[in-house]
Amino acid sequence: MARVCVIGAGAAGLCAARHLLVEPCVSSVNVLEQAGQLGGTWVYTEDVGYDDFGLPIHTSMYKSLRTNLPKEIMGFPDFPIPESDKSYLPAKDMLTFLQAYADKHGVTELIKFHHHVQLIIPKEAPSGTLWDVTFKNLKNGVIKTKEYEYVFVCNGHYNTPFIPSIPGLKEFHGEVMHCHDYRVPEIFTDKRVLVIGAGPSGMDIALEITSVTKKVILSHHLNPQPRTKFPDNLVQKPDVQKLDGERVYFQDGSEDEVDVVFLCTGYQYNFPFLHESCGIVVEDNCVEPLYKHLVNIRHPSMCFIGVPYYVCAFSMFDLQVRYYIRSMNGTFRLPAPADMTRDWEDEKRDRAARGYSKRQTHMMGPDQGNYYITLALESGAESLAPVFTKVHNDSSLKFKDNLTHYRSDRYRIIDDDIFTCN
Ligand code: FAD
């Protein structure tokens, strides 16, 4: 019987706890959550910087956010998002959904809120690896260390800003801000804003702030260019070559003057609580060595839920959790470490050959369907219906090409392989 520690009570941690709680080979589940409530990313706060306990604010949620994927593919396989007249939901509905999920499965009452995990160290015991997890009760300051057979790392990966190295950025005369700290558009009233990056946040926020700014320059290297018809005060430009004072120079030789450099340049995986003896290295946003982006190859009794991105997140978390628990309870055996390493190296080589950069090691997108099938085949767990990948692709294309209107679409899933959208 195993004692299990789950770090974080966002969607991934809740999902892990939900399945662990009904697993006969598990004797106890501790969910340690540093915040005062569950939901992680989906908790909106006006605060930026540090919280009352001196920890960096975790959430990157902004006030107006509506999901960038339809709710039909955003629920859990055993707990879909209830019917409503909209497919793209506001963040507060997602938070309500996660609270309902955690309540229904008896997870809420076992979460230890205000418990910040500080350090995780593996130690060898006759029975195999044990984990010493050290955490601080933020309310009373008491620090404790507890021993577990398994650790599920579910601390999220949209909270540590990635700051690109752009010549002149540090010396820029105006304001520099990352979208992690963005909440409402009014802060940019009458400003000339350079938005760098056209991922989901960059595109959405660039469009939103056109209502108050003098001008928005959206700099990116998307190819092909998004076909969205933006308002007249937004222009698209290629990558920035350098900044000088308030001037910005682009790769196509053009230049302009701006008041704010707004970095929508993504986030970095960050596991500050993992001691180096855990064997996990993060370099250029590649977390390794991880078998199937999930299992710590150096210590397979540690797993990471939610590392891949551009996926049907909650359903993928669910599949990853079911996969891993099947390895815990003996339904299938994980390969030997040498074989897991070979598989991981092969996967990296294959991705590199197909043009993925190291920074994109965990990007799924077009690979997501195969990823789900691989996890399902190896473990015998049920995969995600192919229609999920189809809806994800459909919605993602519309995001780029019809950003201003695509959220009024309404999806209906007809069966495992067919959907409609109108
Ligand atoms: P999180 O939600 O980040 O949860 C991690 C939890 O771990 C947090 O509660 C945190 O407090 C806790 N934690 C971290 N470190 C510690 C520690 N040391 N000790 C204790 N607790 C700790 N996905 C979609 O599918 N659709 C969308 O429309 C979508 N929109 C998004 C919009 C924004 C602005 C962002 C930032 C992300 C969006 N995502 C979206 C991705 C979203 O983050 C994932 O869908 C999912 O919610 C991530 O869940 P998670 O549990 O992995 O991480």
Side-chain angles (χ1 to χ4, degrees):
M1 296 282 272
R3 295 161 295 173
V4 185
C5 181
V6 176
I7 297 152
L14 298 175
C15 178
R18 176 259 177 277
H19 288 285
L20 288 163
L21 272 178
V22 294
E23 173 51 45
C25 79
V26 171
S27 59
S28 67
V29 185
N30 278 179
V31 183
L32 304 176
E33 168 54 57
Q34 65 191 13
Q37 69 178 109
L38 60 78
T41 294
W42 298 99
V43 177
Y44 174 75
T45 170
E46 285 174 4
D47 298 342
V48 294
Y50 293 87
D51 67 14
D52 294 345
F53 303 100
L55 295 176
I57 296 283
H58 181 85
T59 186
S60 305
M61 191 50 60
Y62 42 96
K63 195 170 190 178
S64 68
L65 184 129
R66 283 171 70 194
T67 59
N68 54 33
L69 292 174
K71 73 171 177 54
E72 285 73 18
I73 59 163
M74 278 201 59
F76 295 99
D78 57 356
F79 196 81
I81 297 178
E83 266 312 299
S84 71
D85 55 352
K86 296 188 290 286
S87 278
Y88 295 88
L89 302 181
K92 70 172 175 31
D93 289 7
M94 291 305 298
L95 183 59
T96 306
F97 167 74
L98 288 175
Q99 285 161 341
Y101 175 72
D103 287 349
K104 156 113 196 272
H105 296 292
V107 174
T108 311
E109 62 244 40
L110 68 86
I111 301 171
K112 292 185 186 305
F113 291 109
H114 291 121
H115 278 59
H116 173 59
V117 174
Q118 296 182 319
L119 186 64
I120 304 187
I121 301 186
K123 60 181 185 194
E124 287 317 313
S127 54
T129 303
L130 289 176
W131 297 97
D132 270 345
V133 177
T134 301
F135 50 87
K136 180 177 184 178
N137 180 332
L138 298 169
K139 286 283 198 188
N140 61 19
V142 173
I143 295 175
K144 282 190 184 156
T145 299
K146 277 189 82 170
E147 194 178 82
Y148 299 92
E149 274 81 24
Y150 287 93
V151 170
F152 280 60
V153 180
C154 306
N155 66 324
H157 53 85
Y158 293 102
N159 46 75
T160 307
F162 171 71
I163 311 290
S165 64
I166 299 172
L169 181 63
K170 283 201 187 95
E171 300 79 23
F172 177 66
H173 285 182
E175 190 188 345
V176 178
M177 176 180 171
H178 190 276
C179 60
H180 173 60
D181 295 328
Y182 176 77
R183 299 292 183 261
V184 290
E186 287 73 23
I187 54 166
F188 293 134
T189 301
D190 292 336
K191 301 249 165 87
R192 298 162 300 175
V193 183
L194 168 66
V195 177
I196 301 184
S201 297
M203 292 265 283
D204 248 354
I205 301 175
L207 177 63
E208 168 161 294
I209 64 178
T210 54
S211 61
V212 297
T213 50
K214 220 179 247 168
K215 174 174 190 170
V216 174
I217 303 173
L218 176 59
S219 159
H220 65 82
H221 47 251
L222 287 185
N223 187 12
Q225 286 242 334
R227 285 183 297 183
T228 287
K229 170 95 187 70
F230 286 109
D232 290 343
N233 62 341
L234 186 152
V235 291
Q236 297 186 60
K237 289 279 181 183
D239 283 340
V240 173
Q241 192 180 54
K242 65 170 182 176
L243 293 155
D244 187 5
E246 288 185 346
R247 291 203 77 74
V248 47
Y249 297 84
F250 298 97
Q251 304 241 331
D252 62 358
S254 62
E255 55 187 274
D256 211 325
E257 208 170 82
V258 292
D259 305 304
V260 183
V261 174
F262 185 54
L263 301 170
C264 296
T265 42
Y267 295 87
Q268 308 183 70
Y269 295 94
N270 191 15
F271 308 100
F273 43 80
L274 293 186
H275 186 264
E276 62 178 21
S277 56
C278 295
I280 292 295
V281 177
V282 184
E283 202 186 85
D284 199 10
N285 237 27
C286 163
V287 187
E288 64 179 340
L290 289 186
Y291 181 59
K292 304 294 178 207
H293 306 261
L294 169 63
V295 181
N296 179 348
I297 296 176
R298 301 226 166 93
H299 297 286
S301 54
M302 169 180 277
C303 70
F304 294 72
I305 305 301
V307 169
Y309 60 96
Y310 292 165
V311 290
C312 302
F314 297 6
S315 290
M316 181 200 70
F317 300 165
D318 193 87
L319 177 57
Q320 289 185 317
V321 169
R322 286 182 289 117
Y323 168 97
Y324 189 74
I325 290 180
R326 281 171 166 252
S327 78
M328 289 167 62
N329 67 21
T331 305
F332 80 105
R333 276 174 81 93
L334 289 171
D339 295 329
M340 291 199 274
T341 303
R342 201 170 308 117
D343 185 271
W344 175 237
E345 294 300 331
D346 285 350
E347 176 166 358
K348 284 195 300 181
R349 249 192 313 277
D350 170 63
R351 286 181 151 256
R354 290 187 291 126
Y356 288 99
S357 65
K358 182 163 185 180
R359 204 176 146 66
Q360 295 169 321
T361 297
H362 304 293
M363 188 180 95
M364 287 297 160
D367 286 1
Q368 64 178 307
N370 282 342
Y371 179 63
Y372 305 145
I373 290 169
T374 307
L375 290 186
L377 279 180
E378 188 182 351
S379 65
E382 194 174 335
S383 188
L384 272 58
V387 72
F388 272 56
T389 309
K390 288 187 177 176
V391 171
H392 191 283
N393 291 342
D394 191 73
S395 172
S396 303
L397 278 179
K398 287 173 178 157
F399 176 85
K400 273 203 259 169
D401 291 340
N402 187 17
L403 182 62
T404 37
H405 293 110
Y406 89 111
R407 284 190 174 94
S408 45
D409 281 354
R410 178 75 173 83
Y411 282 85
R412 281 187 187 77
I413 288 186
I414 311 293
D415 71 13
D416 279 359
D417 209 21
I418 301 173
F419 68 92
T420 62
C421 177
N422 50 42

